[in-house]
Amino acid sequence: MKKKIFISHSSKDIKIVRLFVEKILQLGLNIEYNRIFCTSIKGYDVKSGEYIPDRLKTEINSASISLLFISENYKKSEVCINEIGASWVALEKDCTIPLLFPDISFDKIGFLNLNRLGLKILNENDLIKLIEDIKKILNIDYDLNILNVQIKSFIEEAEKLTKNFRNSKNEKEIFSEWDNCFKMSLYPFNEILAKSFPTLNSGIHKISDKKSQNRLLFNLSNSGMLENMWFRFSGGDDYIKHFTKLKNGNWTTTGYNWELNISDMWISFNPTLQNEFILIKSESLEPFNITSDIGGKENSVGILDNGIIVSHNEMVNGYAEINNEIINLKEFGVQRRMREEKSFWIILGTNYHKVGNNPDETIDFCENLDKGNIEVSRNTIKSFLKNLRSHKTVVKYQ
């Protein structure tokens, strides 16, 4: 029996799509990550080296439903429209379900020739209807109270995202490709590097001083441009979302609060812009000691506001056993945290930097560093950069 979910979306709408996957599918419906396919989210996507069309065909054919996140961005994407056609061919008509973004109304989706009216993604009743429609198809079991909390949380956070987007459109119409590339990505990142290291010249630099490393991450975190930043590592890539310094000196990032134990840092500082990036090594970390009654150790846990560490399952279910008492975690506040038991290298940049425009090469570079096939140095970094292509928008306007 097919039990997978294929998510069709525009990569420009990833923030809300990611929020939907985390809040509704994962936390609300307790659906395992390996039942979800989404090309823009690490762990749910195409692995490095795979032929994308073949993987998409495989995923659609193995899916029981296809969720179409319809927006103006979606309608302008040829890839998205092709995914609609593939879903129609592979699935029953009631299993191809459009979810409408706030910038789309029913009268704007007619050309898509959808077999059913779309559900509004920020409407609570529509989300409940969606779940009622798919629960038998997916054979899922969930806690209704937890689901209701996650639906409300999703709508609240998604409304903030769409409100910010609508306000920015009112102040200035949709950014041009030049604005997105230079004004929103390359120039701000260059400014962060210049502010963090005012005495450095153009080139590749090893940043050994812990104070300097922290200053750079603080400046990056407070810059307001993290929405344009990604990191890439041997396992793939992910949206940064935040940098938060912990009391133990480590940093957390991504929506999963991935903990980084930074031991080494290099930067490429180059006013020609697209060559710039930050290269970080994170050392291995011991798994968390679970302090709820279940005990044991895990790499993915929930941490309560009072410092108690609960297991991954307790965090997802919303309840934990502490001192022989079942506790509702919503009353205490719980935050996801992840650790890696192996050291690894990651590269930070935007999609307009060379490291962002060449994701496969960047991921392979990190993998070779992790395996010890090459040593990080100015020469290896220069050699790596030499083979990378500039983004077409950078080439167009330079």
Side-chain angles (χ1 to χ4, degrees):
M1 179 180 178
K2 297 180 180 180
K3 296 181 180 179
K4 296 194 73 171
I5 303 171
F6 182 87
I7 294 180
S8 177
H9 69 292
S10 165
S11 60
K12 295 180 180 179
D13 300 322
I14 182 56
K15 291 183 181 180
I16 292 181
V17 174
R18 182 193 307 277
L19 199 62
F20 183 91
V21 170
E22 292 177 357
K23 296 286 187 180
I24 305 298
L25 299 183
Q26 192 172 31
L27 295 178
L29 297 177
N30 200 25
I31 295 175
E32 299 90 343
Y33 79 94
N34 58 4
R35 295 182 61 184
I36 302 168
F37 180 79
C38 182
T39 55
S40 297
I41 303 179
K42 171 184 166 289
Y44 304 85
D45 56 354
V46 178
K47 294 180 180 179
S48 178
E50 287 187 285
Y51 184 55
I52 294 177
D54 285 350
R55 177 64 188 278
L56 292 177
K57 179 180 178 181
T58 298
E59 291 296 332
I60 291 177
N61 286 333
S62 63
S64 53
I65 65 168
S66 177
L67 299 180
L68 316 176
F69 288 79
I70 310 295
S71 67
E72 288 293 346
N73 293 325
Y74 190 99
K75 291 169 59 178
K76 296 174 183 176
S77 169
E78 182 178 342
V79 173
C80 292
I81 302 305
N82 288 338
E83 289 177 355
I84 291 179
S87 297
W88 284 339
V89 171
L91 302 174
E92 298 291 334
K93 64 179 182 180
D94 289 338
C95 294
T96 300
I97 305 172
L99 296 168
L100 305 189
F101 273 54
D103 62 341
I104 290 289
S105 57
F106 292 110
D107 60 341
K108 291 184 177 181
I109 64 174
F111 86 99
L112 293 175
N113 192 26
L114 297 169
N115 290 306
R116 55 185 291 169
L117 286 178
L119 302 171
K120 294 183 178 180
I121 195 170
L122 299 187
N123 184 288
E124 183 174 352
N125 291 332
D126 281 4
L127 290 177
I128 292 174
K129 183 180 186 306
L130 167 68
I131 292 161
E132 288 295 320
D133 288 346
I134 68 175
K135 66 180 182 180
K136 289 184 179 180
I137 301 174
L138 295 174
N139 190 26
I140 51 178
D141 186 23
Y142 54 88
D143 185 300
L144 186 58
N145 291 327
I146 294 176
L147 175 62
N148 287 334
V149 169
Q150 294 303 327
I151 287 176
K152 288 180 169 58
S153 177
F154 165 75
I155 292 175
E156 180 181 352
E157 293 188 36
E159 282 181 339
K160 292 178 182 178
L161 292 175
T162 57
K163 181 179 179 182
N164 292 337
F165 176 72
R166 289 194 298 269
N167 287 344
S168 65
K169 283 185 66 178
N170 291 335
E171 293 170 3
K172 182 177 180 179
E173 288 305 308
I174 299 175
F175 279 111
S176 67
E177 60 180 3
W178 187 95
D179 286 326
N180 281 324
C181 178
F182 291 91
K183 194 172 182 180
M184 301 299 293
S185 297
L186 300 182
Y187 289 165
F189 190 72
N190 176 262
E191 180 71 16
I192 290 166
L193 293 175
K195 179 181 178 181
S196 301
F197 308 106
T199 63
L200 294 184
N201 59 356
S202 175
I204 297 167
H205 302 273
K206 179 180 174 65
I207 310 299
S208 301
D209 177 55
K210 184 66 68 174
K211 182 178 179 180
S212 299
Q213 294 176 359
N214 288 335
R215 181 174 64 237
L216 172 58
L217 295 184
F218 274 123
N219 287 340
L220 183 61
S221 182
N222 295 324
S223 67
M225 70 159 296
L226 284 183
E227 62 183 27
N228 298 314
M229 295 291 296
W230 287 76
F231 71 74
R232 288 177 165 82
F233 72 121
S234 60
D237 56 15
D238 203 351
Y239 170 57
I240 289 176
K241 193 169 184 178
H242 72 96
F243 269 116
T244 304
K245 195 167 189 290
L246 301 173
K247 291 181 179 180
N248 63 7
N250 294 337
W251 291 78
T252 61
T253 187
T254 80
Y256 292 97
N257 292 314
W258 197 16
E259 188 171 344
L260 304 178
N261 175 20
I262 298 172
S263 63
D264 203 356
M265 178 183 290
W266 292 74
I267 66 166
S268 177
F269 182 50
N270 192 327
T272 58
L273 303 178
Q274 71 270 24
N275 278 329
E276 295 184 321
F277 63 83
I278 303 171
L279 175 63
I280 292 173
K281 184 179 184 181
S282 178
E283 296 294 341
S284 61
L285 287 166
E286 291 290 329
F288 293 94
N289 290 311
I290 298 171
T291 54
S292 65
D293 293 358
I294 189 175
K297 295 184 176 182
E298 288 185 0
N299 294 92
S300 177
V301 298
I303 299 182
L304 276 60
D305 292 342
N306 59 11
I308 292 177
I309 300 176
V310 301
S311 69
H312 176 80
N313 286 340
E314 289 175 312
M315 174 187 62
V316 171
N317 292 330
Y319 292 89
E321 185 172 347
I322 301 173
N323 297 327
N324 296 318
E325 182 181 354
I326 302 300
I327 302 297
N328 185 340
L329 297 182
K330 294 188 290 294
E331 298 177 359
F332 290 84
V334 62
Q335 184 181 85
R336 181 187 297 250
R337 184 81 65 79
M338 292 179 61
R339 282 180 173 177
E340 295 284 346
E341 293 187 73
K342 295 182 179 180
S343 63
F344 59 96
W345 289 89
I346 61 176
I347 286 183
L348 287 71
T350 73
N351 286 330
Y352 294 99
H353 290 94
K354 283 186 176 179
V355 294
N357 188 51
N358 299 264
D360 291 339
E361 292 85 348
T362 303
I363 290 169
D364 288 343
F365 179 65
C366 290
E367 184 174 6
N368 282 316
L369 291 176
D370 290 349
K371 291 180 177 179
N373 295 337
I374 56 176
E375 294 289 335
V376 63
S377 67
R378 288 181 178 83
N379 287 335
T380 55
I381 293 175
K382 286 180 180 178
S383 176
F384 161 63
L385 286 172
K386 183 179 179 181
N387 297 317
L388 300 184
R389 303 172 300 279
S390 295
H391 194 281
K392 61 181 181 180
T393 303
V394 176
V395 174
K396 180 179 179 179
Y397 287 100
Q398 277 194 330

